Amino acid sequence: MSARTRRLTTAQALVRFLSAQYTERDGVRRRLIAGTWGIFGHGNVAGIGQALVEHTDVMPFHQGRNEQSMVHAAVGHARQLNRLSAQAVTTSIGPGATNLVTGAALATINRLPVLLLPGDYFASHAADPLLQQLEHPVEADVSVNDTLRPVSRYFDRITRPEALIPSALQAMRVLSDPAETGAVTLALPQDVQAEAYDWPEEFFAERVWYVRRPAPDPVELAAAVDAIRSAGRPLVVAGGGVHHSEAEEALKAFAEATGIPVASTQAGKGSLRHDHPADLGGIGHTGTAVSDDLARTADLVIGVGTRYTDFTTASGTLFQNPDVRFLNLNITGFDAHKLAARTLVCDARTGLEELTGALAGHRVPEAYEAQYRAGKERWDGVVEAAFRAADDSAVPTQTQVLGALDAVVGDDDVVINAAGSLPGDLHKLWRARSPRQYHLEYGYSCMGYEIPAAIGVQQAAPGTPVWALVGDGTYLMMPTEIVTAVQEGLPLTVVLLQNHGYASIGGLSEETGGERFGTAYRFRAADGTFTGAPLPVDLAANAASLGMDVLRAKTVRELREALAAARAADRPTCVYVETDPTPTAPPAEAWWDVPVAETASRPAAVEARERYDRGAAGRRRHL
């Protein structure tokens, strides 16, 4: 080997390369690939697996139990660190690789970086077909990994060792680019992983990927300032981009200087602390009354780092002022142009700072401030009523579980959720006290995300109390990473709510004429419906069997005591509670478009269609 090359296998070279990649923003440097998750099988055990054991000095390894869960853990890690650090995930050739697809979709939809390294078939076709190979009759280069193409921001199959060099650099570029990031896939044929090559030493040199803070274009900035100055009822919609940019203080300064109120999406909640006078809480279908009331009359909606999903816009029915216009501050032009908006394509923090400076002396009318502050005060009363339990010896409702948790958490605790009925209650009611406390994955709303994501968050923020809130349906989807939490010694807390079925979808089924069919965990009755007794399933015992300490709470008082004990614990703990199904959350403040059968014979569906038509009548296109 010459002084300028190093002979390694492709897998060894990749691991060594990844260990030398860093991001830097505002003078803070982090490992870009902080560790690698893996489940080994044929296709990665003899390649990447051997490379990881050979390079344990530079690449931490984490053993997972489910490939999808490993991606969720990596996503939780990346989100906690504002996308400045990611993790890699390696899998075998067949089902291990295809199990990545859901996690990859979640990462890309939420604009969060994760590096996927699935094994692939022999590039040489020396063994053809091999175990788990998909044989395509006319496209011999197709493998099951091609299912990852549509959900990856960058994809390549490394069919020669030297092809890794440009592809690995492109992968790091995408992972570290706030306007491009998402899932990145490098499919690795198993023969190429083990093949040796003389690699240039420069490939292994420390490399820093600077995360840009692009400033707004002066012409766009001037137009944005004019739009804000001419608006009488402006409203900010804060999205996840506020957090990713660490723009919370800039948003606070903007709101305090201008008096413009701030509503938040699921990803943006916590952009302002809940008790800030300008914070109105969630917006859209699961929003607060004060946010949605202001949204209906706003004449200028200022989106900051938001994708404007259907929950945020109430499926196009929320922003009803005939003269409403949109101004979107976003690091991607793709999102900035939504709703025919004026655009401010830039970093969220930089853009907000420049807007605040350019708007010096401008403030919304006093009457407008007084209106939204009064609405905020009224909503605070709604939250208190939902959280309060009149009888501490009673079985808690779901919102009372949130109230008990609210009384226990500290400002820097992280509360994680993704699916079911909890996201709606949390978006309306949770009182976020810090930028990273509220961790809702609602871009893909993936059941099973919460527990592995809690692992990723604790890896990113050691010593931080982390709470994974899961219903019974979500728990049954993917509890296996509890074993990983036990193995890694991570003292996360799972709050497991048992309500014997899919509460959220059950309610949606009833609203749309489905009569809650197939949404309860119950025995099948004689008439074929699932209306019998609840199944004799003990999820608390299951959690204990996987290695968790389990605290069972039957009353509100016991729940408070269990939550406090769990927060003080030094190992993985589950707080298990059966909830009173009586609805105590405030109803939806805005519509959501879920199409209902246009013709049906059952009265429930006929009535649901009538309600649907009334809701759809309010939809509009913003042009």
Side-chain angles (χ1 to χ4, degrees):
M1 185 176 70
S2 73
R4 295 191 57 79
T5 63
R6 189 184 311 185
R7 191 161 183 81
L8 299 170
T9 68
T10 303
Q12 292 163 356
L14 177 58
V15 172
R16 181 62 66 174
F17 168 83
L18 294 177
S19 71
Q21 308 303 303
Y22 293 83
T23 63
E24 186 173 314
R25 185 171 71 181
D26 304 332
V28 178
R29 185 171 296 188
R30 295 185 182 274
R31 278 276 295 263
L32 175 51
I33 305 300
T36 298
W37 286 92
I39 297 175
F40 295 116
H42 93 98
N44 72 335
V45 66
I48 289 288
Q50 187 281 328
L52 286 168
V53 73
E54 189 160 308
H55 293 90
T56 53
D57 58 326
V58 295
M59 180 58 69
F61 175 73
H62 310 290
Q63 183 182 29
R65 270 75 198 172
N66 176 286
E67 292 85 1
Q68 179 181 320
S69 289
M70 294 193 297
V71 185
H72 293 339
V75 167
H77 173 278
R79 178 170 171 172
Q80 181 68 21
L81 295 177
N82 297 317
R83 306 193 297 191
L84 299 175
S85 180
Q87 292 177 321
V89 178
T90 178
T91 72
S92 59
I93 284 177
T98 52
N99 280 351
L100 294 173
V101 175
T102 296
L106 181 149
T108 296
I109 286 169
N110 285 286
R111 318 293 208 260
L112 293 166
V114 61
L115 176 62
L116 308 180
L117 305 173
D120 212 325
Y121 313 147
F122 284 80
S124 65
H125 289 234
D128 186 26
L130 71 159
L131 177 65
Q132 299 174 332
Q133 180 169 344
L134 174 72
E135 294 183 89
H136 196 287
V138 295
E139 296 181 72
D141 62 340
V142 169
S143 85
V144 296
N145 286 335
D146 287 282
T147 60
L148 288 160
R149 288 182 185 271
V151 293
S152 297
R153 293 292 288 169
Y154 179 82
F155 179 99
D156 195 10
R157 180 175 287 112
I158 310 302
T159 56
R160 291 292 306 145
E162 59 268 33
L164 177 65
I165 295 174
S167 187
L169 292 170
Q170 286 290 350
M172 298 304 104
R173 177 191 66 79
V174 173
L175 288 170
S176 61
D177 187 336
E180 293 285 338
T181 197
V184 167
T185 300
L186 298 181
L188 303 170
Q190 61 175 316
D191 52 346
V192 177
Q193 288 181 48
E195 187 174 343
Y197 181 75
D198 293 329
W199 302 88
E201 282 289 348
E202 293 85 355
F203 186 56
F204 307 113
E206 184 176 294
R207 192 179 302 270
V208 179
W209 301 85
Y210 292 94
V211 180
R212 297 181 293 276
R213 288 195 180 278
D217 177 86
V219 174
E220 286 194 334
L221 180 63
V225 169
D226 287 344
I228 294 172
R229 286 188 179 277
S230 62
R233 300 181 62 81
L235 173 67
V236 168
V237 175
V242 175
H243 293 309
H244 299 327
S245 176
E246 299 175 334
E248 297 90 356
E249 286 299 316
L251 178 61
K252 179 182 176 184
F254 175 82
E256 290 176 351
T258 63
I260 298 175
V262 177
S264 56
T265 68
Q266 287 278 16
K269 194 171 172 75
S271 295
L272 289 183
R273 188 180 157 96
H274 75 94
D275 52 6
H276 190 283
D279 180 66
L280 307 183
I283 189 170
H285 178 65
T286 54
T288 68
V290 58
S291 288
D292 288 353
D293 285 347
L294 261 65
R296 291 183 180 96
T297 60
D299 56 1
L300 179 68
V301 179
I302 306 168
V304 182
T306 178
R307 299 189 299 122
Y308 285 112
T309 69
D310 59 341
F311 260 59
T312 298
T313 67
S315 300
T317 65
L318 186 59
F319 305 110
Q320 286 297 318
N321 187 326
D323 299 318
V324 67
R325 293 294 180 266
F326 296 84
L327 166 64
N328 291 338
L329 191 166
N330 205 294
I331 200 162
T332 72
F334 178 82
D335 289 318
H337 280 275
K338 289 176 178 176
L339 302 178
R342 293 182 181 274
T343 60
L344 205 57
V345 181
C346 59
D347 172 73
R349 192 174 84 181
T350 303
L352 285 167
E353 289 172 345
E354 294 207 16
L355 274 177
T356 302
L359 287 164
H362 174 74
R363 195 167 184 87
V364 298
E366 290 183 6
Y368 184 52
E369 280 193 77
Q371 178 192 358
Y372 73 69
R373 291 191 181 194
K376 174 181 173 63
E377 185 176 352
R378 288 192 298 272
W379 188 258
D380 288 343
V382 172
V383 174
E384 286 291 340
F387 280 0
R388 189 185 311 117
D391 182 0
D392 280 1
S393 64
V395 174
T397 64
Q398 182 163 285
T399 59
Q400 289 165 0
V401 172
L402 299 182
L405 183 60
D406 175 77
V408 169
V409 299
D411 283 7
D412 294 322
D413 291 23
V414 179
V415 176
I416 300 174
N417 187 240
S421 58
L422 277 165
D425 291 355
L426 286 160
H427 198 208
K428 292 187 190 82
L429 303 173
W430 188 257
R431 301 187 280 211
R433 306 172 196 183
S434 62
R436 276 282 160 245
Q437 182 174 84
Y438 187 87
H439 184 127
L440 259 287
E441 187 288 293
Y442 215 61
Y444 209 41
S445 188
C446 185
M447 295 176 71
Y449 171 83
E450 295 89 344
I451 295 173
I455 292 172
V457 169
Q458 287 218 309
Q459 289 176 332
T464 299
V466 179
W467 306 82
L469 307 188
V470 299
D472 53 321
T474 289
Y475 180 86
L476 286 168
M477 282 275 184
M478 205 172 296
T480 49
E481 295 315 310
I482 286 174
V483 178
T484 304
V486 172
Q487 182 179 41
E488 300 252 345
L490 299 172
L492 62 87
T493 300
V494 173
V495 181
L496 175 51
L497 285 68
Q498 172 64 278
N499 54 25
H500 301 286
Y502 299 121
S504 174
I505 294 300
L508 183 61
S509 172
E510 186 172 31
E511 176 66 22
T512 57
E515 302 176 56
R516 294 185 176 263
F517 177 75
T519 63
Y521 292 158
R522 294 177 180 273
F523 284 105
R524 185 187 295 270
D527 63 357
T529 61
F530 295 91
T531 56
L535 300 177
V537 176
D538 190 341
L539 300 184
N542 178 262
S545 75
L546 296 177
M548 296 197 99
D549 290 343
V550 176
L551 304 173
R552 295 176 184 257
K554 295 182 178 179
T555 67
V556 173
R557 182 182 300 108
E558 290 178 1
L559 175 63
R560 291 199 192 102
E561 294 169 353
L563 293 172
R567 190 174 188 274
D570 61 359
R571 66 181 315 277
T573 303
C574 173
V575 175
Y576 174 85
V577 57
E578 292 209 28
T579 56
D580 179 345
T582 303
T584 52
E589 295 291 335
W591 188 64
W592 183 41
D593 190 349
V594 178
V596 175
E598 193 168 2
T599 180
S601 59
R602 295 178 69 86
V606 173
E607 293 169 9
R609 180 67 195 197
E610 293 171 356
R611 292 192 298 271
Y612 176 81
D613 289 339
R614 289 194 296 270
R619 186 193 292 115
R620 61 181 294 196
R621 297 282 187 184
H622 297 285
L623 300 172

